[in-house]
Amino acid sequence: MNKKQRATLADVARRAGVSPVTVSRAIRHPDMVSEELRERIDEAVKKLNYIPNHLASALASTRTHIVGVIVPSLTNGVFDDYLGAIQDVLNPAGFQVLVLNVRYSEIEEEKAIQTLMGYHPEAMIVAGVDQTPRSLDLLRHAGMPVVQTMDVSGAPIDLNIGLDHEAAGAAAVRHLYELGHRKIAHLTARADPRARRRHAGYQRQMAAYGLSTEGLVGASPRPSDVAMGGELLDEILAQVPDVSAVFTCNDDLALGTLFECQRRGLRVPDDIAIVGFNDLDFCVAAVPTLTSVSIERQQMGRWAAESILEIIRGSGKRPKQTRVDVGFSIKARGSTAATRKPARKKG
Amino acid sequence: MNKKQRATLADVARRAGVSPVTVSRAIRHPDMVSEELRERIDEAVKKLNYIPNHLASALASTRTHIVGVIVPSLTNGVFDDYLGAIQDVLNPAGFQVLVLNVRYSEIEEEKAIQTLMGYHPEAMIVAGVDQTPRSLDLLRHAGMPVVQTMDVSGAPIDLNIGLDHEAAGAAAVRHLYELGHRKIAHLTARADPRARRRHAGYQRQMAAYGLSTEGLVGASPRPSDVAMGGELLDEILAQVPDVSAVFTCNDDLALGTLFECQRRGLRVPDDIAIVGFNDLDFCVAAVPTLTSVSIERQQMGRWAAESILEIIRGSGKRPKQTRVDVGFSIKARGSTAATRKPARKKG
DNA sequence: TCCCCCATTGATAGCGCTTCCAATGACCGT
DNA sequence: ACGGTCATTGGAAGCGCTATCAATGGGGGA
């Protein structure tokens, strides 16, 4: 660790015997500088280990080339795929993605938006549509493109891509109903707004079928993990021993449910059918394979990033499409395969 | 989206009828400003929705309050816990963590380090000790504290906290050997340097026991996922049908292995024992529960962050300890429970 | 009562870079 | 040979903020 300050543009200029402006140009628009100087400058850059100061450059040009992204979690593969897609579009275009993880906390999200704005990003991508009034206000007056993803409820701030979680929850119930299930449980961990909508969809569809949900909803305030799936299933079984299917708010809980069934000797899907949410990679590997609601997380990320580029490059022109519902699809697998007959109890 | 520029310090000053310096002070050192002015300024800040420009402030003060963190992946819970711990220390101290995910690519890592340095972070935390020569050079001359985490091999650049993956790999083998296993397989996905060391430890320990590893190593160049665990187990079984135990380079593969056993009707641990790595949350939920090598990812993150704060606050003084081996521990669970007797084949 | 000290506020000078415009000289056509 | 054009290069100003030091005035001690 040498204590000497990092080299600046001026240092490079001095060493190459040119003016600072020329160095700046040689780096950003090499074709505007004669070959001779360019080489001399490149050499000086190497020699001095010069790395442009992004803060100074951003300040002077009022172009930060930063896009702020707020995610509520990094614990599962969902946001990894999503972020990956965003970066794959933005990085090659010369933009840096600044990610803040707010761990499903509205207060952290408010702070994160504020922090992010301090960096003057050129656009912002936030997950969900349920920001606090203060957050909404900040975003609305941010003076930059804002994309809300993952959800399509309500009136978007600006651009919006997502899916209808209420419909997805209802569809999961429908899937099970059509397979003959009537006692359908719902398990949900610390419920973010989207999980809550899925729950609402479950309730609505159950009601539409005239089915009671009493004793069939297992909820925990803790963040979800696999073990919780088992715990919540325990609770349900204690109240409704003949529950025949479980729809969980995410795949972790689905996996935990599957394990708990194995532990108890309940056959899946014969005794209990399971539907998860997100369609993470382990769904196809599990035994039996897990039915899950698949969502287009990569597409959401890609679209958000591409729309932003379009706006920035088009100097503010709005893209023709500002709102997209990417839908969802139920990947029907082993955990909801048609069963020959009710095999347990009361059959 | 209003197009008008964001308010600046000067705008606030004008509105409050004070000088810009006073506004700056009122925001950063409120107790240095009289109550009356402070109130007037606060009001102006609110009214104008003023958010300090972090870039300008960092440039002027040469304090960015940024700590750069490079992670090789976000796909599993490992780096989530780690990042969470880092943020929990750094954020309250007024530092912003800038995370770059390099997806296990050395080239991306090189670029990420360069990018990060453009932001003039006050410290850097990188995962692993296997940076490219160019990366090492950049980090060594970065003129800031650098913490390498997750591994302890070789000569650290600066600070270092991690564990000995070679020893961990060997310990996993020892655990299985002592339970009577002799045909111990190793499964590994796209191998980052740490996974490679675990593999080396496996090889060393097998050799120490005089055991052959022929046909017992399943490797894939693809990034790991749960399904791959099954595929690799298939390969092993094709070559060594009487394999009795499997050590995987991570828990995803372990889970996939478990599922594959279930699919094939192989009993775990009676027919095949399994040891994973990382001890992710699902290990305790699986049936049987999965034995795994537990690592102190939160502690590594916390220590890295705390050491950085210590150095920054102590104006460069080195902490007494600059290198820590946090070790590892094998969480012995159901998947390696002692079996009564060899139950399959050749028994 | 006078002076010193401290608390409060402001003026000035950059941080490292880019934008904008001017200056230079080579080359061209006529 | 001369004005004009283009390709290069440099100078000056300033992005929004903070560090530094100066200026102001009130209060307390001698």
Side-chain angles (χ1 to χ4, degrees):
Chain A
M1 306 230 315
N2 51 15
K3 215 53 226 161
K4 69 174 180 293
Q5 290 303 308
R6 296 241 301 265
T8 71
L9 243 202
D11 296 328
V12 177
R14 214 166 300 127
R15 189 171 221 284
V18 298
S19 80
V21 230
T22 306
V23 177
S24 173
R25 263 192 295 257
I27 290 172
R28 294 178 309 131
H29 312 290
D31 46 317
M32 287 180 67
V33 169
S34 71
E35 199 181 315
E36 192 219 325
L37 283 197
R38 208 185 319 137
E39 279 169 11
R40 241 166 56 213
I41 291 170
D42 282 352
E43 200 189 300
V45 165
K46 285 247 161 46
K47 210 61 89 188
L48 296 173
N49 261 314
Y50 173 68
I51 297 178
N53 184 331
H54 178 269
L55 289 82
S57 129
L59 183 60
S61 68
T62 63
R63 292 292 311 267
T64 58
H65 292 281
I66 290 176
V67 171
V69 178
I70 292 181
V71 297
S73 160
L74 291 174
T75 42
N76 61 39
V78 175
F79 287 100
D80 185 39
D81 287 344
Y82 168 73
L83 282 176
I86 291 173
Q87 302 211 358
D88 284 341
V89 174
L90 256 22
N91 289 349
F95 283 83
Q96 188 53 50
V97 174
L98 219 167
V99 183
L100 263 52
N101 175 6
V102 298
R103 312 183 217 189
Y104 286 116
S105 151
E106 289 187 333
I107 299 104
E108 276 204 55
E109 182 172 61
E110 249 179 42
K111 274 192 283 185
I113 293 173
Q114 190 118 0
T115 301
L116 227 36
M117 303 235 332
Y119 286 82
H120 281 242
E122 302 192 24
M124 209 110 131
I125 304 177
V126 300
V129 296
D130 300 275
Q131 289 74 28
T132 62
R134 168 120 185 84
S135 293
L136 287 174
D137 192 58
L138 280 170
L139 292 173
R140 233 185 280 281
H141 300 298
M144 65 183 82
V146 173
V147 189
Q148 290 167 296
T149 64
M150 298 286 164
D151 201 342
V152 292
S153 316
I157 298 175
D158 188 7
L159 305 190
N160 180 215
I161 185 166
L163 62 118
D164 183 341
H165 290 260
E166 214 266 355
V173 170
R174 200 173 318 120
H175 173 70
L176 289 166
Y177 184 90
E178 286 169 0
L179 286 164
H181 296 282
R182 294 298 177 268
K183 304 235 171 172
I184 303 171
H186 180 59
L187 307 187
T188 180
R190 175 173 59 187
D192 63 283
R194 293 176 290 291
R196 233 174 282 134
R197 289 201 179 92
R198 302 199 280 276
H199 183 181
Y202 157 84
Q203 292 287 1
R204 170 170 66 74
Q205 193 59 249
M206 290 294 277
Y209 286 136
L211 300 174
S212 161
T213 60
E214 204 179 320
L216 285 170
V217 175
S220 165
R222 287 181 296 120
S224 83
D225 63 34
V226 176
M228 181 186 294
E231 295 161 20
L232 293 175
L233 178 63
D234 282 347
E235 287 179 21
I236 302 290
L237 284 169
Q239 299 189 264
V240 185
D242 59 340
V243 58
S244 83
V246 174
F247 165 48
T248 63
C249 79
N250 65 42
D251 286 336
D252 283 357
L253 294 188
L255 183 58
T257 301
L258 172 61
F259 284 138
E260 184 62 21
C261 287
Q262 292 182 356
R263 191 166 282 116
R264 287 170 169 262
L266 296 174
R267 292 168 303 159
V268 175
D270 307 74
D271 296 330
I272 294 201
I274 301 174
V275 177
F277 195 95
N278 283 333
D279 194 24
L280 296 182
D281 72 332
F282 59 74
C283 289
V284 298
V287 180
T289 53
L290 287 168
T291 294
S292 191
V293 180
S294 171
I295 65 174
E296 299 290 341
R297 39 188 182 272
Q298 307 213 22
Q299 193 192 329
M300 290 190 269
R302 202 180 324 116
W303 185 89
E306 284 167 352
S307 303
I308 283 171
L309 283 185
E310 200 178 324
I311 294 177
I312 293 177
R313 289 183 170 150
S315 50
K317 237 179 301 163
R318 319 297 305 159
K320 49 250 137 287
Q321 213 178 355
T322 61
R323 199 168 182 193
V324 177
D325 185 335
V326 291
F328 55 84
S329 65
I330 294 188
K331 304 288 182 197
R333 302 206 182 88
S335 70
T336 59
T339 60
R340 270 178 278 286
K341 58 183 66 156
R344 184 174 50 106
K345 308 209 161 102
K346 131 163 247 200
Chain B
M1 307 231 316
N2 51 14
K3 215 53 227 159
K4 69 173 177 297
Q5 291 304 309
R6 296 243 299 266
T8 70
L9 245 203
D11 295 329
V12 177
R14 214 167 301 126
R15 190 173 221 282
V18 298
S19 80
V21 233
T22 305
V23 176
S24 174
R25 262 193 295 258
I27 289 172
R28 295 179 308 131
H29 312 289
D31 45 319
M32 287 180 67
V33 169
S34 70
E35 199 180 316
E36 192 218 324
L37 282 197
R38 207 185 320 137
E39 278 170 11
R40 237 160 65 207
I41 291 170
D42 282 353
E43 200 189 300
V45 165
K46 286 249 160 47
K47 210 61 91 187
L48 296 173
N49 260 313
Y50 173 68
I51 297 177
N53 183 332
H54 177 268
L55 290 83
S57 131
L59 183 60
S61 67
T62 64
R63 292 292 312 266
T64 58
H65 292 280
I66 290 177
V67 170
V69 178
I70 292 181
V71 297
S73 158
L74 290 174
T75 43
N76 62 38
V78 175
F79 288 99
D80 186 39
D81 286 344
Y82 169 74
L83 282 176
I86 291 173
Q87 302 211 1
D88 284 341
V89 174
L90 256 23
N91 288 350
F95 283 83
Q96 189 52 50
V97 174
L98 219 168
V99 184
L100 263 52
N101 175 7
V102 298
R103 311 184 218 190
Y104 286 114
S105 152
E106 289 187 334
I107 299 105
E108 275 204 57
E109 183 174 59
E110 249 178 42
K111 274 192 284 183
I113 292 173
Q114 190 119 359
T115 301
L116 227 36
M117 303 231 336
Y119 286 84
H120 281 242
E122 302 191 22
M124 210 110 128
I125 304 177
V126 300
V129 295
D130 300 274
Q131 288 74 30
T132 62
R134 167 121 187 83
S135 292
L136 285 174
D137 192 59
L138 279 170
L139 291 173
R140 235 185 279 281
H141 300 297
M144 64 182 85
V146 173
V147 189
Q148 290 167 298
T149 63
M150 298 285 164
D151 201 341
V152 292
S153 316
I157 298 175
D158 188 9
L159 304 190
N160 180 215
I161 185 167
L163 61 120
D164 183 340
H165 289 261
E166 214 267 356
V173 171
R174 200 173 319 121
H175 173 69
L176 289 165
Y177 183 89
E178 287 170 359
L179 287 164
H181 296 282
R182 294 299 177 266
K183 305 237 171 173
I184 302 170
H186 180 59
L187 307 186
T188 179
R190 174 173 59 186
D192 63 282
R194 294 176 289 292
R196 235 175 281 134
R197 289 201 179 91
R198 302 198 280 274
H199 184 183
Y202 158 85
Q203 292 287 3
R204 170 169 67 73
Q205 193 58 249
M206 289 295 277
Y209 287 136
L211 300 173
S212 159
T213 60
E214 204 180 318
L216 285 170
V217 174
S220 166
R222 287 182 296 121
S224 82
D225 62 33
V226 176
M228 181 186 293
E231 294 161 21
L232 292 175
L233 179 63
D234 283 346
E235 287 180 22
I236 302 291
L237 284 169
Q239 299 189 261
V240 186
D242 58 340
V243 57
S244 83
V246 175
F247 166 48
T248 62
C249 79
N250 65 42
D251 287 335
D252 283 357
L253 294 188
L255 183 60
T257 300
L258 172 61
F259 283 138
E260 184 62 22
C261 288
Q262 292 182 357
R263 190 167 284 117
R264 288 169 169 264
L266 295 174
R267 292 166 303 160
V268 176
D270 306 75
D271 297 330
I272 294 200
I274 302 174
V275 176
F277 195 94
N278 282 335
D279 194 23
L280 297 182
D281 72 332
F282 58 74
C283 290
V284 299
V287 179
T289 52
L290 286 168
T291 294
S292 191
V293 181
S294 171
I295 64 175
E296 298 291 340
R297 39 190 183 274
Q298 306 213 21
Q299 193 192 330
M300 290 191 269
R302 202 179 324 117
W303 185 89
E306 283 168 354
S307 303
I308 283 172
L309 283 185
E310 200 179 325
I311 295 177
I312 292 178
R313 289 184 171 149
S315 50
K317 237 178 302 164
R318 320 296 305 158
K320 51 252 137 281
Q321 213 178 355
T322 62
R323 199 168 180 192
V324 178
D325 184 336
V326 292
F328 55 85
S329 65
I330 295 189
K331 303 288 182 197
R333 302 208 182 87
S335 69
T336 60
T339 61
R340 270 178 279 284
K341 56 182 70 158
R344 184 173 50 107
K345 305 208 165 96
K346 123 163 251 192

